[in-house]
Amino acid sequence: MSWGTELWDQFDNLEKHTQWGIDILEKYIKFVKERTEIELSYAKQLRNLSKKYQPKKNSKEEEEYKYTSCKAFISTLNEMNDYAGQHEVISENMASQIIVDLARYVQELKQERKSNFHDGRKAQQHIETCWKQLESSKRRFERDCKEADRAQQYFEKMDADINVTKADVEKARQQAQIRHQMAEDSKADYSSILQKFNHEQHEYYHTHIPNIFQKIQEMEERRIVRIGDSMKTYAEVDRQVIPIIGKCLDGIVKAAESIDQKNDSQLVIEAYKSGFEPPGDIEFEDYTQPMKRTVSDNSLSNSRGEGKPDLKFGGKSKGKLWPFIKKNKLMSLLTSPHQPPPPPPASASPSAVPNGPQSPKQQKEPLSHRFNEFMTSKPKIHCFRSLKRGGATPEDFSNLPPEQRRKKLQQKVDELNKEIQKEMDQRDAITKMKDVYLKNPQMGDPASLDHKLAEVSQNIEKLRLETQKFEAWLAEVEGRLPARSEQMRRQSGLYDSQNTPTVNNCAQDRESSPDGSYTEEQSQESEVKVLATDFDDEFDDEEPLPAIGTCKALYTFEGQNEGTISVVEGETLYVIEEDKGDGWTRIRRNEDEEGYVPTSYVEVYLDKNAKGAKTYI
């Protein structure tokens, strides 16, 4: 089956068909190119997706990825990143093995097709030229035959006419012979050209055209084979990455199987365990016996005459009972300054010192001594309101529960050890460089490294001292060392012994009543203050206390103690809690600034509808 014999008269159709074949090949190339773009886009989207859900470095989110389920998720993201890489490999291989190769082949195919059809058109032009020559000789032969016939008829007519001279008859005879000779010559020429044309035509239809069409057929068959091979390559390129993609999917399955729910549950315990004991039983309150309450209505103490407190915060049952206490009363307990108010200045000038000396410390009672020991063994907090407003975190993390404090201290010790190791490595490197300079002075001056070496050694010593300090705190938390003294606490940076008076130590936690007597409720308030931060978030969402009146500052007061607020002479503020007999009035400047000022420093104007409204001057 050959195009040269079967399609000898379909030159134009073959030309169209071969052009269509090239168009199909170019369309396939375009298809593969778009596939590579899709693969690249898909890989890019997968990488962006994996990057989007990766935890940010040095963030709280990164700390949360210690759970096995989160680690499995990270592994899945990494496997998807590798999965995206395989699609990039598909795109690259298709571009290099199919698109580039076929594009070059299309150019060669177009050139070969152009050459073959050029030869075919040349053969057509040659046969058409031979045909024209044959037609021309044929017409000339026909014309000469007609001219010879007319000349013969004219000679015969002249020869039969008796009136014509002999010379005219001879002339007509010669003319007839000439025409006859010309017709013979034309006949011979026509015969020769006809034979030549028949030969050329036979060569054209049986030799030239079959050869040209055979080449075109072979060219078209090679194109078909080539596009088939490209399709196989297209599939093989995809198939080559399937094992690697399978490994990525196996990695995801392996990561999922590595999830350990028990381990994650244990991590939750380690992350949020406070170390406190559950609250004990609440003792029965006997209201049939007379009760003697303290002057302040906001205290948590019971009658001192009964011999035991209503709520046991010390000893065995150290309970967190303030979830059942209203926020306003708890805030009053935690923020009220535990010292007598200073006397008003002799004059209203700003230069007067409003904060007079505090009342002398009272003799410790057995119950207060017990609470004092409890306070030194538990972390103490200045005021959880101040912490919420951005107060500084103690250096020894004493604001945290025991277990969380231990973890923070251990983490700090580990970080310091890493920094020490880093500095030691730097010191070793500088020492080696100095030795090189000593052996080869042309490379550098050894003395130039002494300053850097001394600086690194000094940094190492500082870090070691810092590490020892945190290790001591850690040992205290773990019970390996006795509790630190008050002086050690002052050295730790938790208390400022020069400027700000200590509010939270137990000696000053004792609040004096107007008659100078000591009440036991301050020890209980100290215990509540220790534990207040655990429920800060629960109470922080409640509405603030409503204003019950206004006040005008008579003198300037610098609130340096915890729970107090500074006012300027002549300033007008809101009153949110009146004096309860302890000499302090609670006021508010705005939503974020509130505290206590001495009642004698302000002139209070309570609302008329307020219960027990009165004016303090």
Side-chain angles (χ1 to χ4, degrees), residues 294 299-302 309 311-314 333-334 338 363-375 380 504-511 518-531:
T294 59
S299 66
L300 291 176
S301 65
N302 62 349
L311 303 178
K312 296 180 67 177
F313 288 90
L333 292 173
L334 295 177
H338 298 170
Q363 184 67 25
K364 291 186 178 180
E365 298 179 3
L367 181 60
S368 65
H369 178 68
R370 181 158 59 97
F371 277 113
N372 189 26
E373 293 179 352
F374 171 77
M375 290 298 293
K380 298 191 292 183
N504 285 324
N505 63 43
C506 289
Q508 294 182 358
D509 276 347
R510 297 199 305 272
E511 181 180 355
Y518 168 73
T519 58
E520 296 175 355
E521 67 181 20
Q522 277 67 39
S523 298
Q524 297 177 354
E525 292 174 4
S526 300
E527 172 64 14
V528 173
K529 187 176 294 185
V530 171
L531 308 177

Side-chain angles (χ1 to χ4, degrees), residues 14-28:
L14 286 180
E15 189 176 17
K16 294 178 181 179
H17 178 77
T18 52
Q19 182 60 47
W20 171 84
I22 293 177
D23 294 341
I24 287 293
L25 195 57
E26 291 179 338
K27 183 182 293 186
Y28 179 75

Side-chain angles (χ1 to χ4, degrees), residues 338-575:
H338 298 170
Q339 59 182 358
S347 63
S349 62
S351 61
V353 179
N355 293 331
Q358 300 178 1
S359 61
K361 301 180 180 179
Q362 302 295 330
Q363 184 67 25
K364 291 186 178 180
E365 298 179 3
L367 181 60
S368 65
H369 178 68
R370 181 158 59 97
F371 277 113
N372 189 26
E373 293 179 352
F374 171 77
M375 290 298 293
T376 57
S377 63
K378 292 286 185 179
K380 298 191 292 183
I381 306 172
H382 297 290
C383 175
F384 72 85
R385 179 180 292 276
S386 66
L387 291 177
K388 287 294 287 184
R389 292 176 181 174
T393 303
E395 186 181 9
D396 60 352
F397 304 106
S398 58
N399 61 314
L400 298 176
E403 183 65 23
Q404 301 301 319
R405 184 186 180 197
R406 182 193 66 78
K407 291 179 62 177
K408 286 290 185 181
L409 290 172
Q410 184 63 52
Q411 182 180 356
K412 187 66 176 179
V413 170
D414 294 340
E415 291 177 357
L416 290 173
N417 287 331
K418 290 181 180 179
E419 292 181 8
I420 291 175
Q421 185 61 41
K422 184 178 179 181
E423 293 291 336
M424 292 177 66
D425 293 341
Q426 186 176 358
R427 183 184 62 183
D428 295 341
I430 296 174
T431 304
K432 291 180 180 179
M433 186 179 295
K434 184 176 181 181
D435 294 340
V436 173
Y437 287 175
L438 289 173
K439 295 178 181 179
N440 302 283
Q442 68 276 8
M443 297 183 65
D445 183 13
S448 63
L449 301 176
D450 292 340
H451 176 71
K452 184 65 176 177
L453 193 60
E455 182 180 351
V456 173
S457 300
Q458 186 178 3
N459 292 339
I460 293 175
E461 187 63 26
K462 289 181 180 179
L463 291 173
R464 283 178 177 172
L465 292 176
E466 191 79 5
T467 304
Q468 292 175 2
K469 180 173 63 175
F470 280 94
E471 285 177 348
W473 288 334
L474 180 61
E476 175 192 344
V477 174
E478 294 177 347
R480 294 196 300 266
L481 294 177
R484 293 175 297 159
S485 64
E486 186 64 27
Q487 184 64 25
M488 292 177 63
R489 288 183 178 272
R490 292 178 185 274
Q491 293 176 355
S492 68
L494 179 60
Y495 302 96
D496 187 357
S497 59
Q498 296 180 355
N499 298 325
T500 305
T502 303
V503 177
N504 285 324
N505 63 43
C506 289
Q508 294 182 358
D509 276 347
R510 297 199 305 272
E511 181 180 355
S512 299
S513 61
D515 59 355
S517 62
Y518 168 73
T519 58
E520 296 175 355
E521 67 181 20
Q522 277 67 39
S523 298
Q524 297 177 354
E525 292 174 4
S526 300
E527 172 64 14
V528 173
K529 187 176 294 185
V530 171
L531 308 177
T533 50
D534 292 340
F535 291 92
D536 181 35
D537 293 337
E538 298 178 16
F539 291 112
D540 195 57
D541 295 335
E542 296 186 9
E543 295 293 331
L545 287 172
I548 61 175
T550 59
C551 68
K552 180 179 180 181
L554 301 176
Y555 314 102
T556 298
F557 174 71
E558 297 179 1
Q560 296 181 350
N561 295 332
E562 194 70 42
T564 61
I565 184 173
S566 300
V567 296
V568 181
E569 180 182 354
E571 185 179 5
T572 301
L573 306 102
Y574 294 100
V575 178

Side-chain angles (χ1 to χ4, degrees), residues 68-69 71-72 75 251-261 263:
T68 56
S69 57
K71 290 180 179 178
S75 298
I252 296 175
V253 174
K254 185 177 180 181
E257 292 174 351
S258 66
I259 296 177
D260 186 354
Q261 66 276 12
N263 182 70

Side-chain angles (χ1 to χ4, degrees), residues 103-305:
R104 182 172 58 252
Y105 176 70
V106 165
Q107 297 300 323
E108 296 175 354
L109 188 64
K110 288 181 177 179
Q111 190 65 30
E112 183 180 0
R113 174 181 175 276
K114 180 179 179 181
S115 176
N116 290 331
F117 281 98
H118 175 72
D119 294 340
R121 287 193 181 88
K122 187 176 180 180
Q124 282 184 338
Q125 292 175 359
H126 178 69
I127 197 67
E128 287 176 358
T129 302
C130 294
W131 172 256
K132 289 179 181 179
Q133 291 178 356
L134 178 62
E135 288 292 323
S136 177
S137 61
K138 181 180 178 181
R139 288 194 297 271
R140 186 169 60 252
F141 172 60
E142 181 181 6
R143 185 179 62 252
D144 291 343
C145 288
K146 290 181 179 180
E147 291 294 334
D149 185 55
R150 285 197 296 270
Q152 183 65 29
Q153 292 177 0
Y154 180 74
F155 167 70
E156 291 178 354
K157 181 179 178 183
M158 292 293 290
D159 187 45
D161 191 358
I162 58 174
N163 296 322
V164 177
T165 62
K166 187 176 181 181
D168 293 334
V169 173
E170 185 61 25
K171 184 177 180 180
R173 185 178 65 78
Q174 291 178 357
Q175 189 67 27
Q177 288 178 354
I178 292 173
R179 293 294 180 183
H180 182 71
Q181 185 62 39
M182 291 176 62
E184 291 294 332
D185 294 340
S186 297
K187 180 179 179 181
D189 186 52
Y190 170 68
S191 176
S192 174
I193 293 176
L194 179 60
Q195 291 179 1
K196 181 179 178 181
F197 174 78
N198 289 333
H199 176 74
E200 292 293 339
Q201 181 175 257
H202 184 274
E203 289 292 327
Y204 174 79
Y205 287 111
H206 293 84
T207 303
H208 298 306
I209 288 298
N211 291 338
I212 293 173
F213 281 12
Q214 184 65 30
K215 292 179 181 179
I216 295 174
Q217 181 181 355
E218 292 174 356
M219 177 194 71
E220 185 69 9
E221 290 175 353
R222 286 197 305 272
R223 179 194 65 81
I224 296 172
V225 172
R226 194 63 171 267
I227 196 172
D229 293 340
S230 299
M231 290 179 180
K232 290 180 181 179
T233 305
Y234 178 88
E236 288 299 324
V237 167
D238 220 336
R239 194 192 306 275
Q240 288 173 0
V241 302
I242 290 178
I244 303 178
I245 291 177
K247 290 182 180 179
C248 294
L249 299 178
D250 292 341
I252 296 175
V253 174
K254 185 177 180 181
E257 292 174 351
S258 66
I259 296 177
D260 186 354
Q261 66 276 12
K262 298 296 183 183
N263 182 70
D264 287 0
S265 299
Q266 182 62 32
L267 290 176
V268 174
I269 295 175
E270 295 176 0
Y272 301 109
K273 182 180 179 181
S274 66
F276 293 130
E277 297 180 1
D281 297 337
I282 300 176
E283 293 190 1
F284 176 75
E285 299 181 20
D286 190 357
Y287 291 100
T288 60
Q289 298 181 7
M291 300 181 64
K292 184 179 180 180
R293 305 186 63 83
T294 59
V295 177
S296 176
D297 293 338
N298 287 343
S299 66
L300 291 176
S301 65
N302 62 349
S303 175
R304 292 179 359 185

